[in-house]
Amino acid sequence: MAPEITPDDCPCGSRQPYSTCCEPCHQGKPASSPEALMRSRYSAFVLNLTDYLKATWHTSTRPQDLDLTEAPKWVSLQVLSSDEGVHEGRVHFRALYRAGGWGYLEENSRFVRDDERWYYVSGDTREGTLKPGRNESCPCGSGRKYKACCL
Ligand SMILES: [Zn+2]
Ligand SMILES: [Zn+2]
């Protein structure tokens, strides 16, 4: 079984408490950077906060309906790089999910700033699968061996 997320541990994997990491964004505070917004959106996917996902999606690309019932179970997030300009930003990340086996989504996301707030615009995504070995570190990011963790 995957370790449960404790209230202290933000789902975005920052190893900071949710209350000081993504929760303020979810409660309406503007994200301080494209990466902070991306992290808070990942957490919102984990926590099923569809209203937040829509509110942080730029109006030019925002979907009419967002249904997360078919969404995979996200287990971890890795931010590979991020880059912030005055009006635009980019974040390259990889998010792991579990749906029977392990899969990942890697995305180069684009963000824009409008009225002091960052919005997600779009991204180039790539998907793949992972086959962790029993003695490799667990893809969930726990730091334990796969066979002693989520196997
Ligand atoms: Zn967070
Ligand atoms: Zn694990």
Side-chain angles (χ1 to χ4, degrees):
M1 283 297 292
E4 290 294 319
I5 290 161
T6 66
D8 270 1
D9 235 351
C10 191
C12 79
S14 62
R15 303 198 189 263
Q16 288 176 41
Y18 174 58
S19 60
T20 57
C21 187
C22 293
E23 190 176 31
C25 293
H26 294 163
Q27 290 177 342
K29 187 171 172 275
S32 57
S33 67
E35 181 176 335
L37 181 70
M38 191 269 132
R39 286 184 170 278
S40 70
R41 284 175 51 85
Y42 172 83
S43 295
F45 271 107
V46 174
L47 302 170
N48 220 346
L49 305 174
T50 35
D51 288 348
Y52 181 76
L53 290 165
K54 283 168 112 172
T56 54
W57 214 307
H58 197 258
T59 47
S60 63
T61 53
R62 183 188 297 161
Q64 288 272 312
D65 291 302
L66 189 61
D67 183 4
L68 298 184
T69 50
E70 302 279 301
K73 181 175 164 14
W74 297 101
V75 279
S76 70
L77 172 71
Q78 222 187 337
V79 174
L80 302 171
S81 66
S82 62
D83 170 41
E84 176 183 354
V86 180
H87 300 293
E88 281 184 6
R90 279 170 186 274
V91 181
H92 183 198
F93 69 90
R94 180 184 259 210
L96 257 57
Y97 61 87
R98 191 141 202 204
W102 295 89
Y104 68 85
L105 175 86
E106 199 172 312
E107 182 170 318
N108 258 306
S109 307
R110 283 182 291 279
F111 298 84
V112 291
R113 182 143 77 170
D114 238 357
D115 277 342
E116 305 300 309
R117 276 183 183 267
W118 287 102
Y119 294 91
Y120 171 76
V121 182
S122 62
D124 302 319
T125 58
R126 205 154 68 78
E127 286 194 64
T129 55
L130 290 180
K131 287 198 174 59
R134 294 173 56 84
N135 289 310
E136 286 174 31
S137 57
C138 189
C140 78
S142 66
R144 286 186 283 165
K145 285 187 178 177
Y146 182 46
K147 66 180 178 191
C149 191
C150 297
L151 183 65

